[in-house]
Amino acid sequence: MANTKSIAADSQIDIESIRKDFPMLSTKLNDKPLVYLDSAATTHKPWSVIEAVKTFESQHYATVRRGAYKLGELATTQYEGVRKKIAQFIGIEDPRQIIFTSGTTQSINLVAYSFGKRYIQAGDEVIISTMEHHANIIPWQIMCEDRGAILKVVPVNDEGEFQMDEYEKLLNKKTKIVSVTHVSNALGTINPIKDIIFKAHSVGAKVMIDGAQSTPHIGLNLKELDCEFYAFSGHKMYAPSGIGVLYGKYELLEDMPPYVTGGEMINLVTFERTTYTKPPARFEAGTPPITQVIGLGEAIDYITKIGISNIEAYEHKLLEYGTSVLSGIKGLKLIGTAKNKASILSFSLDNVHPHDIITLLDQDAICVRGGHHCAQPTMKRFCVPATTRASLAFYNTCEDLDMLVKGIQKVQEVFS
Amino acid sequence: MSYQSELYQQVILDHNKNPRNFRRLEQGTHFCDGRNPLCGDELTLYLNVNNDDIIEDICFYGSGCAISKASASMMTTNLKGKSIDQAKVMFEEFHKMVLGEFEPDQQEHHLGKLTIFMGVREFPSRTKCASLSWHTLICAIEKKQETSTE
């Protein structure tokens, strides 16, 4: 049987030193060491990010893009430096294509609103999939209602995989945009987005990808993928909360109206008329989350230092280990068994509701998520009201999963 | 080593496993769908109230966690034969008890064995599970058709 040491060595991951990098991992709850298995919800922060935030706030903090004084200029340089870093991290050249948002949710809302307002007419069609997070359903639903457009949904099979043949049937000349998740937060499925994007383009549709769950785990090359929009969040990739990213092709961004309006997104304001500045500033009204941007830059440095392909390899082996030990529990059913999966283990347990599971596991300081994971249509598809979800990051170990298994067995004793 | 908890006492586990009055009522006078969007608990509560405002029959159906199911089961057991006014008093006491605003061991109360749910106070994220059936009761009495804990 695999163990942390062997899979870490295979993936060139120095797990001991990584765990020391994350102070939260050595904290205790109820006098028990924390077993954190909820990284798909949010991740902990390494010291380097915490220190970068502290240093910026205590020594370099100033507003960006406004002040002509030195401190503001230096802060702006640092802030814009992160935009370049992100561009590089996702494999594109032009940092003007990076818009800072508050998170994936806001990024998707921005596109649904602005793209919809500019390009969607009555009778047009928008495609999403059954496995979407509510954040990639509701903005499109509202936009379709407003514009008189039609929302179409690609089904998933029993393993939780995107049904490509059904997708092909839905695509037609009326399809204006396809918005699907790269990795399902509730099932772990990694979608074949390259193929999805290619097929959408063949009917002239644009593509938005929800990358909230993929960016921390999978190396990206957006230039090669060629999607029009890609969204992700900082707090799911070891950065502070409150910062997210929207990547968009520049010619589209340039053509789209602003979403949130206010300061710093204008050329000229009179009471009769306002002209807007170019992207990305057009979409960044108000004072941005400056410190959080600095934190995100540092988190990207940290991920890059560990190596995203090493992270991917280690997490995959951890997923294999977790799948194997959980599958050994009688009465446990994994929900989401796609061939291509990220490190998310969603499951149901006979006769025990997820909320009872998490309350009891919590007594052993084991943090897992129970609920519908903001994906009610996905739960409905699998005929469960909710699931329990353990989600892994590269700071997790086989021992964390062993603790989970022991905990689940104890839950079963209570409910036997 | 096993899990021990003030919350998951034997009575609660028993009502979860064998919920009482767990059925639908076709010809009831009142009903309401209750939902806890946070957990996905869903239950429908049915009542048959006579002309003297006495609850002649009360039952529920749906899916939920052990706490919500046991709470609904014990609530229906306790409310059968009571008047609507008595039910409203019990709702107030129960609701305040789980929030820690009513102390049944220090104050006069009408909750009987339902005080077992006092343990839920230690688990703030679960108080809504315990009170879902009670909120649904009030909604049914007020002749609304749907309620939510959020």
Side-chain angles (χ1 to χ4, degrees):
Chain A
M1 186 65 124
N3 59 53
T4 308
K5 215 173 159 186
S6 70
I7 68 172
D10 286 352
S11 322
Q12 295 176 315
I13 289 279
D14 184 352
I15 188 67
E16 276 174 35
S17 101
I18 283 172
R19 286 188 66 85
K20 282 184 200 141
D21 288 342
F22 290 83
M24 275 298 294
L25 298 181
S26 48
T27 58
K28 288 187 170 181
L29 256 179
N30 313 327
D31 271 338
K32 287 171 184 162
L34 189 70
V35 179
Y36 188 76
L37 295 167
D38 198 18
S39 292
T42 198
T43 54
H44 290 300
K45 324 299 170 205
W47 275 120
S48 61
V49 169
I50 297 167
E51 290 294 340
V53 164
K54 192 174 141 196
T55 307
F56 183 74
E57 296 243 305
S58 55
Q59 293 171 41
H60 308 296
Y61 185 78
T63 196
V64 292
R65 297 185 307 206
R66 287 158 173 84
Y69 47 83
K70 193 75 185 162
L71 198 61
E73 278 171 19
L74 289 171
T76 305
T77 307
Q78 249 188 295
Y79 175 87
E80 292 300 331
V82 176
R83 209 186 293 277
K84 287 182 198 147
K85 201 175 274 178
I86 293 167
Q88 205 175 7
F89 182 69
I90 62 175
I92 56 148
E93 279 147 22
D94 186 355
R96 294 178 310 158
Q97 302 183 106
I98 300 297
I99 296 163
F100 290 127
T101 65
S102 65
T104 308
T105 298
Q106 201 202 2
S107 299
I108 301 173
N109 273 276
L110 190 163
V111 176
Y113 177 87
S114 286
F115 181 89
K117 199 171 172 192
R118 175 69 183 85
Y119 296 108
I120 305 284
Q121 310 295 331
D124 284 346
E125 295 177 5
V126 175
I127 296 180
I128 59 172
S129 87
T130 301
M131 71 178 96
E132 301 310 320
H133 186 283
H134 294 166
N136 198 26
I137 300 175
I138 306 163
W140 302 109
Q141 222 165 29
I142 291 175
M143 185 273 275
C144 285
E145 265 172 38
D146 285 352
R147 313 290 306 168
I150 303 149
L151 189 65
K152 302 252 167 153
V153 184
V154 181
V156 300
N157 65 16
D158 290 344
E159 283 70 43
E161 290 166 324
F162 185 90
Q163 288 191 276
M164 198 57 85
D165 49 341
E166 297 294 330
Y167 171 58
E168 284 169 18
K169 285 183 214 158
L170 292 179
L171 279 171
N172 67 71
K173 288 263 178 286
K174 285 185 197 157
T175 313
K176 286 291 172 307
I177 191 161
V178 173
S179 188
V180 293
T181 190
H182 194 165
V183 172
S184 155
N185 74 310
L187 305 168
T189 313
I190 302 177
N191 278 322
I193 56 165
K194 198 170 179 184
D195 209 11
I196 292 171
I197 295 164
F198 182 80
K199 289 191 168 115
H201 286 173
S202 69
V203 298
K206 310 295 185 205
V207 182
M208 157 133 222
I209 302 291
D210 168 357
Q213 297 296 337
S214 48
T215 351
H217 311 291
I218 300 173
L220 280 178
N221 185 337
L222 291 194
K223 198 177 174 187
E224 200 184 295
L225 282 171
D226 200 31
C227 55
E228 277 69 29
F229 303 101
Y230 198 99
F232 57 97
S233 299
H235 74 100
K236 289 190 202 285
M237 51 188 296
Y238 317 103
S241 58
I243 176 68
V245 169
L246 172 66
Y247 157 78
K249 282 189 181 168
Y250 201 75
E251 65 272 22
L252 286 170
L253 293 177
E254 214 176 8
D255 203 28
M256 280 160 48
Y259 172 50
V260 175
T261 60
E264 286 301 310
M265 45 76 68
I266 51 92
N267 278 330
L268 186 71
V269 180
T270 63
F271 285 115
E272 289 72 38
R273 192 167 164 265
T274 296
T275 54
Y276 310 121
T277 186
K278 287 183 173 303
R282 184 187 298 167
F283 300 101
E284 294 180 356
T287 301
I290 308 168
T291 307
Q292 289 77 358
V293 167
I294 303 304
L296 176 57
E298 197 62 36
I300 288 176
D301 284 346
Y302 185 82
I303 293 172
T304 310
K305 191 184 88 188
I306 306 290
I308 191 81
S309 55
N310 295 342
I311 290 173
E312 214 174 326
Y314 178 76
E315 289 176 347
H316 188 72
K317 291 188 179 101
L318 210 54
L319 173 73
E320 281 178 347
Y321 180 83
T323 307
S324 125
V325 291
L326 286 179
S327 302
I329 298 175
K330 210 178 157 205
L332 185 146
K333 187 179 169 221
L334 286 168
I335 312 275
T337 48
K339 274 181 221 82
N340 199 8
K341 245 187 99 171
S343 51
I344 287 173
L345 291 152
S346 216
F347 61 88
S348 62
L349 199 60
D350 281 354
N351 305 320
V352 195
H353 191 278
H355 273 83
D356 299 313
I357 301 175
I358 57 166
T359 296
L360 289 167
L361 291 178
D362 193 32
Q363 294 188 17
D364 277 341
I366 301 170
C367 305
V368 293
R369 171 103 182 251
H372 51 62
H373 317 293
C374 300
Q376 287 177 349
T378 308
M379 299 295 110
K380 200 176 164 198
R381 164 64 181 82
F382 289 90
C383 303
V384 287
T387 71
T388 307
R389 180 188 72 185
S391 52
L392 312 165
F394 61 88
Y395 46 54
N396 287 117
T397 61
C398 294
E399 290 71 27
D400 289 338
L401 288 158
D402 294 340
M403 287 292 288
L404 174 67
V405 169
K406 269 187 212 153
I408 294 170
Q409 286 163 344
K410 281 158 71 176
V411 170
Q412 286 183 316
E413 275 169 38
V414 172
F415 282 87
S416 63
Chain B
M1 201 176 70
S2 65
Y3 285 132
Q4 285 174 344
S5 145
E6 282 295 303
L7 188 55
Y8 293 92
Q9 296 187 38
Q10 213 49 52
V11 182
I12 289 179
L13 292 172
D14 173 57
H15 274 268
N16 170 55
K17 211 168 174 182
N18 307 299
R20 325 296 197 260
N21 306 306
F22 190 63
R23 58 187 155 83
R24 292 191 173 93
L25 186 63
E26 298 295 337
Q27 305 270 315
T29 51
H30 300 65
F31 80 96
C32 178
D33 291 324
R35 204 164 272 139
N36 180 350
L38 207 67
C39 333
D41 293 340
E42 280 181 6
L43 63 88
T44 306
L45 189 72
Y46 306 88
L47 286 97
N48 208 348
V49 180
N50 70 16
N51 290 337
D52 298 326
D53 265 1
I54 302 294
I55 300 168
E56 283 191 338
D57 195 7
I58 176 167
C59 56
F60 76 104
Y61 202 79
S63 68
C65 64
I67 304 306
S68 74
K69 222 165 165 183
S71 177
S73 171
M74 291 180 72
M75 178 187 85
T76 55
T77 315
N78 274 266
L79 286 181
K80 213 178 275 189
K82 297 237 167 44
S83 71
I84 293 290
D85 284 345
Q86 284 175 309
K88 283 182 182 167
V89 170
M90 287 171 74
F91 164 77
E92 282 298 323
E93 291 181 359
F94 188 90
H95 184 54
K96 286 184 177 157
M97 174 186 76
V98 293
L99 293 176
E101 294 164 5
F102 180 77
E103 302 296 338
D105 37 7
Q106 291 163 28
Q107 286 165 275
E108 196 188 327
H109 69 87
H110 307 80
L111 293 172
K113 285 180 184 162
L114 297 173
T115 54
I116 197 166
F117 286 99
M118 212 152 55
V120 82
R121 285 178 182 182
E122 306 302 315
F123 304 86
S125 63
R126 305 302 301 279
T127 52
K128 285 175 179 169
C129 307
S131 55
L132 173 65
S133 57
W134 288 91
H135 284 290
T136 314
L137 167 79
I138 294 303
C139 140
I141 291 173
E142 289 172 355
K143 297 237 174 187
K144 291 177 189 159
Q145 292 187 334
E146 200 171 2
T147 191
S148 162
T149 55
E150 291 301 299

